[in-house]
Amino acid sequence: MKPPPMDRRAFLSAALGAVALGLTGCAQDETPAEALALTAALPAAVPNGTKLVVGDKEHQKAIEFSGAAKGLTFEVEWANLSGGPQTLEAFRARALDIGSVADIPPIHSHWTGIPTKIVASKFRQDPLNHAIYRLGIAPGTSVATLADIRGKKVAYSPGQAQGALVLRVLHKAGLTKQDVELVELPSTGDVYANALASRQVDVAPIGGVQVKRYETKYGKDGATTIAHGLRDDPGHLYAPITVLADPAKAAAIREYVQVWARAWRWREANPDEWIERYYVKDQGLTTEDGRWIVANAGVADIPPTWTEAIARHQETIDLLAKETGNKPLKAEDLYDRRYETVAADALAAGGAR
Amino acid sequence: MTASVLTRPRTPAATVPAPRPRRRLGPGRAIPFGAVLGPALLLALWAVGSAAGWLDSRTLSAPWTVVTTAGELIADGRLQDNLAVSAQRAGIGLAVGTVIGIVLALVSGLSRWGEAILDGPVQIKRAIPGVALIPLLVLWLGIGEQMKITTIVLGVFVPVYIHTHNGLRTIDSRYVELGESLRLRPAVFLRRIVLPGALPGFLLGMRFAVVGAWLSLVVVEQINSTSGIGYMMDLARQYGQTDIIIVGLVLYGLLGLLSDGAVRLAQRKALSWRRTLAD
């Protein structure tokens, strides 16, 4: 007896679908001809034809405006990506070589099977007075000190810097996760500010110009923000170890880190140009907003040694591992110390003012 | 034959009751500017709500704020630059998606084998949300323009396929038999019977597709973009600029309304031979 026609059709469509998935799935597979060991000295010269895909959307502009982008001896392809989830996704797709993040994504990359190494670190001078985040307090909620957070609904985004900050704040206030109600909510765009304004959460870390916007918009309803009193200033460039194993890319990254460091100095030396060309022209903010951001960010600190930073990173890892049930990591393993002095040396050597 | 009917003596008019105007069963005569009435009413409600203070300007900016913000964005050149990039992406995606949709619909509509192989996967794609596919598309195609346009194409080809295929399959078999008895060559059959017969379906599919092409932008332009309406709105989100977000939304609304209107205009021209309730 003939099988019913529907079965045959279903089988054929399923088979075709599987073939299409298989074909597209095995695209892009390139490994360097000879791999560079992670302990081998960094090659000094960048071979011709090297290309680096860089995701650092804000600082890219500083590098371009300062004129340093023209002097690079390799080709840079800028990707408008930054932050943990986006850069990790792009690393996984082999679409990105180096990304710009805070201190949580490098930890998560190890936990999610894309081992990376930090190749440059940047902090803020006087970090407690130039914090990236403040704790937004919903209108009608009375939280004046960290201890008042007990029993409140707190926005929590595991995997992002804001999530770790919440855990550290609780730790500092002597509270545990059980003392508050953690509301899992990814912090993208204006989600946290809006969640506060609509009283979906009582407390949420908000950063940058969102702080100013939130205070002016909802201040008359009783919205406030408080300082969390913790260092939240680390900013890193990190790359997958598969990229660092490519000698050409490893050399290009070294050069990129030098340019990256000098562009930080350029931003500080030319604040007006930076505000006008980046915040106003490119990002569509007002000059006043731009000034506020620059004043709030303070002065960059690019230390010649990472020892202290690694020790602080270790504390964060230990806390996160305990609170999220992930395996502990050695902070030392997150850093590629061959690059430790590259940025600071470039600044000491001067140039690009 | 008709002569006898015509010459049959009529009943005297006086005995017939006065003819009542016949009740029309269709929707009736077209209202002048009917198409803009609904949107205008919506705009009026928005304006009145904002002026009266029923709408919180922090959650929904007033229409005049949106106009002022749009004016500033145009003066900066941001609005038109972003729109140009978005329009190009949507246009390429729409063109490629339409061609793929038509070709698949023809293959699947005109052959049982084609249908057996193609219809299932298209229905599967139809059931998978575009947003859910993006992580995979990033893995396969990277974060560049290729991924963005592919996402739009995937959103466009499905409605074109579904409606064209349905149009093809609902061609009255009388016309097919007519073609057979006239011994039409396959090419002539395709041109004279299949394509005109499938046209109403195709045009309906296009109405979904043109709007769908714009809709995909807001998602794809959040990934590694430095331009486009979606990028402009996402950036405004980062900085809490609600008014710019609403400018983007209004723009989407207008673009959708205009592109749908354009297809409907083409529909009216191309299907002028049809006598339907739409007229």
Side-chain angles (χ1 to χ4, degrees), chain A:
Chain A
M1 207 182 125
K2 266 174 42 169
M6 268 312 289
D7 281 354
R8 204 184 333 165
R9 184 193 298 184
F11 169 73
L12 281 170
S13 5
L16 190 86
V19 169
L21 279 175
L23 279 179
T24 25
C26 57
Q28 301 171 355
D29 221 345
E30 40 190 278
T31 32
E34 42 182 307
L36 180 75
L38 281 171
T39 47
L42 289 175
V46 185
N48 279 338
T50 305
K51 192 178 93 173
L52 210 56
V53 188
V54 180
D56 190 358
K57 58 184 175 184
E58 178 180 322
H59 205 56
Q60 165 199 344
K61 295 291 173 187
I63 293 171
E64 285 175 357
F65 296 160
S66 69
K70 289 193 204 87
L72 289 168
T73 63
F74 54 90
E75 188 196 339
V76 177
E77 185 188 319
W78 299 108
N80 187 14
L81 296 171
S82 57
Q86 280 201 331
T87 51
L88 273 181
E89 185 178 65
F91 283 161
R92 200 168 279 127
R94 294 168 179 268
L96 186 70
D97 293 323
I98 182 165
S100 168
V101 288
D103 52 352
I104 307 307
I107 306 172
H108 262 267
S109 76
H110 284 257
W111 281 338
T112 54
I114 310 258
T116 56
K117 295 269 185 191
I118 291 167
V119 292
S121 289
K122 178 243 155 200
F123 304 87
R124 289 177 172 188
Q125 290 178 16
D126 191 10
L128 296 189
N129 288 317
H130 295 96
I132 297 175
Y133 299 101
R134 285 178 72 82
L135 296 179
I137 312 296
T141 305
S142 66
V143 172
T145 66
L146 296 191
D148 297 338
I149 294 173
R150 180 189 292 273
K152 299 288 188 294
K153 280 186 288 187
V154 183
Y156 174 63
S157 165
Q160 287 186 290
Q162 292 93 324
L165 181 66
V166 165
L167 296 178
R168 289 171 59 215
V169 163
L170 292 178
H171 185 72
K172 187 184 176 197
L175 302 171
T176 68
K177 284 203 290 187
Q178 278 68 45
D179 294 323
V180 294
E181 189 187 331
L182 290 182
V183 179
E184 264 197 40
L185 198 63
S187 164
T188 44
D190 54 358
V191 169
Y192 276 12
N194 288 345
L196 285 168
S198 57
R199 299 173 177 81
Q200 303 298 304
V201 293
D202 301 320
V203 180
I206 48 179
V209 82
Q210 292 278 0
V211 173
K212 181 173 178 253
R213 207 74 83 209
Y214 178 68
E215 284 171 347
T216 43
K217 267 186 167 178
Y218 299 101
K220 54 178 173 284
D221 295 349
T224 52
T225 65
I226 61 169
H228 51 66
L230 289 159
R231 285 196 76 151
D232 64 2
D233 58 333
H236 306 288
L237 294 181
Y238 75 148
I241 57 169
T242 48
V243 170
L244 292 166
D246 179 335
K249 296 216 179 208
I253 288 175
R254 183 169 173 273
E255 190 180 324
Y256 180 75
V257 169
Q258 295 169 336
V259 166
W260 169 90
R262 290 195 201 108
W264 281 106
R265 287 286 168 265
W266 178 87
R267 273 166 76 155
E268 281 152 18
N270 305 278
D272 291 337
E273 186 181 350
W274 173 241
I275 291 168
E276 199 52 34
R277 291 180 74 182
Y278 181 68
Y279 290 116
V280 177
K281 287 265 157 49
D282 193 81
Q283 299 286 289
L285 291 171
T286 60
T287 310
E288 193 201 351
D289 282 341
R291 287 218 184 92
W292 186 92
I293 295 175
V294 166
N296 191 60
V299 182
D301 171 28
I302 295 175
T305 164
W306 291 343
T307 308
E308 242 181 89
I310 292 175
R312 286 198 304 266
H313 217 154
Q314 187 68 56
E315 286 172 27
T316 307
I317 294 172
D318 293 343
L319 180 68
L320 274 189
K322 195 175 86 177
E323 296 288 352
T324 63
N326 278 296
K327 70 174 187 332
L329 299 169
K330 271 177 69 187
E332 185 74 43
D333 296 342
L334 304 188
Y335 288 78
D336 189 334
R337 290 196 102 151
R338 293 174 301 170
Y339 291 92
E340 182 163 4
T341 60
V342 172
D345 288 349
L347 290 183
R353 268 256 162 195

Side-chain angles (χ1 to χ4, degrees), chain B residues 6 14 17-18 30 99 105 115-116 120 125 138 146 161 163 190 198 233 277:
Chain B
L6 287 175
V99 171
E115 184 176 36
K125 163 62 197 72
V138 169
Q146 206 187 355
Y161 168 88
H163 292 283
L190 199 69
M233 289 171 71
L277 279 182

